[in-house]
Amino acid sequence: MNDNHFHQLQHPLEEIYIGPMSATFKVLGDPTRIRILSLLAQQEMCVNCIAQSLNMTHSAISHQLRMLREAGLVKFVKDGKEVFYSLDDDHVLTLFAQCYDHVKHKNL
């Protein structure tokens, strides 16, 4: 285990953080939301572009984006009538990248 990360965590975890951490992992537990985060890790995108990239409806993508937004994982900016989404901050990218690295490591 990386000692730097271990020492950053308080042991035991404070109870106030356990619920939000669990909720974050629950939101990340959907393949479509993982695909959306993967796209947004590369660049900011509008709903239509995400829907087209994933071959899904605008409505279905909007629903998934709302869940990601409510979890604090993505943010948006409006440009006229167009809405562009991106990862909320570098922590989301780090969490996503660490999970990806872990899965690659375990599956090889």
Side-chain angles (χ1 to χ4, degrees):
M1 176 179 264
N2 184 333
D3 288 333
N4 292 335
H5 291 301
F6 181 74
H7 292 297
Q8 290 174 0
L9 294 175
Q10 290 183 325
H11 186 71
L13 288 177
E14 293 180 52
E15 198 63 35
I16 63 169
Y17 297 115
I18 292 174
M21 288 174 71
S22 176
T24 298
F25 282 113
K26 184 176 181 179
V27 169
L28 292 172
D30 179 87
T32 298
R33 291 191 284 271
I34 296 294
R35 290 181 184 99
I36 292 170
L37 291 175
S38 177
L39 291 172
L40 297 179
Q42 303 302 312
Q43 63 184 3
E44 179 180 84
M45 296 180 79
C46 68
V47 178
N48 289 331
C49 292
I50 296 169
Q52 186 176 19
S53 294
L54 299 180
N55 197 27
M56 295 179 67
T57 65
H58 184 282
S59 175
I61 294 301
S62 291
H63 172 73
Q64 299 301 329
L65 286 167
R66 185 178 80 248
M67 296 184 78
L68 290 166
R69 194 174 62 246
E70 288 173 355
L73 298 172
V74 301
K75 61 185 176 184
F76 70 93
V77 294
K78 289 187 177 186
D79 185 13
K81 291 184 178 185
E82 199 74 66
V83 179
F84 291 89
Y85 284 84
S86 62
L87 298 182
D88 187 71
D89 60 26
D90 288 341
H91 295 114
V92 178
L93 183 58
T94 299
L95 180 62
F96 186 82
Q98 288 291 316
C99 183
Y100 178 69
D101 288 344
H102 176 71
V103 169
K104 278 178 42 181
H105 168 76
K106 289 296 184 181
N107 288 323
L108 291 180

